[in-house]
Each structure stands twice: as C-alpha cells, then as structure tokens.
Amino acid sequence: QVQLVESGGGLVQAGGSLRLSCAASGRTFSTYFMGWFRQAPGLERERVATISPTGVNIVYSDSVKGRFTISRDNAKNTVYLQMNSLAPEDTAVYYCAARSILTTTYGYWGQGTQVTVSS
C-alpha cells in the first residue's frame, strides 16, 4: 500500500511558478513509477508527467514540455513537479499517482491539490 499526500498548490498569476510536492508512505517508494496528472472542470484527466523509479526515464505531455519538471527524491519518499511559465489553461486539480513496476495502471492516488492561474 502507498499513501500519497500532495502539497504546494495555490493561486498564481500567469507567468509565475509553483512547486508541487507529493509525499509517499511506505518503504517501497523507490520501486514505484510516479506520475502527476491534472483535471480541469469539464475535462478529462490528463497525464502531465511521469518518472521511473530511478528517475532516469521521464515523459511529459506536449502541453507542459519545456515548462514543467518532474523529479523525485527516493531518500525522502517525495516526488516534485516544478511548474514554470504558468498559464490560465494550467488551472486544474493536480494529482500525484503511483504504480508498481508490475502493472501499467496507476493504482494509488493522492487527494489532489488545486492550482489556479489568473490572467
């Protein structure tokens, strides 16, 4: 079992930056793929970025590539999402998720943190 708790959301002006954190419980964090997802009102959930257990393999959605950076600190059981050059269309609830290396489905989710970007 993995429990995830996000933090760092808030209100920011367009062009600003935020850093989201996701703290994970459990002793096996370093064996999990981690991801950040987001969901805006009326839209489907979107995969923003994912990172492999060692941090070597990272994938970004086209919508955030070059602006967002995902990273992880396995010693702290934490994954981060640095968001720069934020735009109003980045406004959403951001979720942290984890999946075992044995599956392709993200089965563990945090409660989400709201990010609002004003124009």
Side-chain angles (χ1 to χ4, degrees):
Q1 285 283 352
V2 177
Q3 292 184 323
L4 305 172
V5 179
E6 303 99 333
S7 60
L11 174 64
V12 64
Q13 288 189 333
S17 298
L18 281 175
R19 188 194 197 199
L20 305 183
S21 298
C22 173
S25 65
R27 298 173 294 175
T28 58
F29 175 78
S30 62
T31 68
Y32 282 81
F33 283 82
M34 300 298 299
W36 285 99
F37 296 74
R38 66 185 182 185
Q39 188 166 22
L43 299 180
E44 291 188 356
R45 186 170 59 199
E46 174 189 13
R47 183 178 306 193
V48 174
T50 60
I51 187 168
S52 62
T54 61
V56 170
N57 294 312
I58 291 174
V59 179
Y60 295 102
S61 69
D62 288 343
S63 60
V64 306
K65 198 173 296 182
R67 300 187 298 123
F68 290 11
T69 302
I70 188 172
S71 62
R72 65 190 296 163
D73 186 337
N74 286 342
K76 295 183 178 180
N77 280 15
T78 302
V79 62
Y80 304 97
L81 186 68
Q82 177 67 44
M83 305 185 295
N84 298 329
S85 301
L86 283 161
E89 51 265 36
D90 295 316
T91 295
V93 178
Y94 283 71
Y95 298 92
C96 172
R99 69 170 177 89
S100 162
I101 58 174
L102 302 177
T103 179
T104 58
T105 302
Y106 282 83
Y108 302 100
W109 294 84
Q111 82 287 351
T113 185
Q114 177 71 46
V115 172
T116 303
V117 185
S118 63
S119 57

